[in-house]
Amino acid sequence: MKLIPLRKIMKNLLLKIYRGKFLGFSIVGGVVLVLGLSLLTFLVEVLNFNKIIANVITTIFSVETNFLLNKYLNWNDRKGSFASQWIKFHITRVGTITFNQVLYAVLVTFNTHYLVASLICTSISTIINFFGNDKFVFCEKKGACCNE
């Protein structure tokens, strides 16, 4: 596995921000967050769903909505099999959700305020998910990373 120097990663991130993909990715994330919280509130407060079941439904809705919006809005210039991209998207999410949970537990264990820990985890996961989408999920080149 080839390690990419931090300088190159930062340069690529700045180029992506400049080109608007990261901004679009962040907007999609914000929209999905608001929709998810609205759905969760509706299921629990209006329909009296169990909070755990409501959260599972909301998580599924949010992940699938996130995939569709990113595929058709942010990476609509990338061609590829819908099924392949969907599978790769979910693989990356399993990885980042697991990483997020472990990091959160470590931070809270070492007395980091739970909201600060959540903010740190979300920030790191956002960057990882962005590059995962750009270089793996919506990559046109089979077996290689996309290089724009």
Side-chain angles (χ1 to χ4, degrees):
M1 186 167 118
K2 182 180 172 185
L3 295 176
I4 301 170
L6 182 58
R7 185 175 183 190
K8 185 174 182 178
I9 291 172
M10 293 307 295
K11 179 182 174 187
N12 284 340
L13 179 59
L14 291 173
L15 285 172
K16 296 292 181 185
I17 290 170
Y18 177 75
R19 292 181 184 153
K21 275 211 194 308
F22 190 78
L23 178 60
F25 177 79
S26 297
I27 290 170
V28 163
V31 167
V32 171
L33 174 66
V34 170
L35 291 173
L37 290 174
S38 299
L39 176 61
L40 182 61
T41 302
F42 179 75
L43 292 174
V44 171
E45 300 296 333
V46 176
L47 298 181
N48 296 315
F49 270 57
N50 172 283
K51 291 174 186 167
I52 304 293
I53 293 170
N55 190 58
V56 170
I57 293 168
T58 299
T59 299
I60 293 168
F61 167 81
S62 296
V63 169
E64 299 311 318
T65 303
N66 195 297
F67 169 74
L68 292 170
L69 289 176
N70 276 304
K71 176 175 177 48
Y72 292 112
L73 296 178
N74 291 320
W75 281 277
N76 61 352
D77 58 332
R78 308 272 178 91
K79 305 301 176 219
S81 160
F82 182 91
S84 172
Q85 290 173 343
W86 186 87
I87 290 168
K88 290 191 290 185
F89 181 85
H90 288 79
I91 289 169
T92 63
R93 290 312 174 273
V94 167
T96 55
I97 288 170
T98 302
F99 169 79
N100 200 4
Q101 294 302 310
V102 171
L103 180 59
Y104 180 84
V106 168
L107 291 171
V108 171
T109 299
F110 286 103
N111 297 319
T112 304
H113 189 277
Y114 72 96
L115 292 176
V116 172
S118 181
L119 181 61
I120 290 169
C121 292
T122 300
S123 298
I124 293 170
S125 294
T126 297
I127 293 168
I128 292 169
N129 284 332
F130 175 76
F131 280 108
N133 280 352
D134 193 57
K135 301 294 184 188
F136 177 65
V137 175
F138 300 111
C139 186
E140 293 175 324
K141 299 176 185 176
K142 196 171 193 166
C145 292
C146 295
N147 294 311
E148 290 186 331

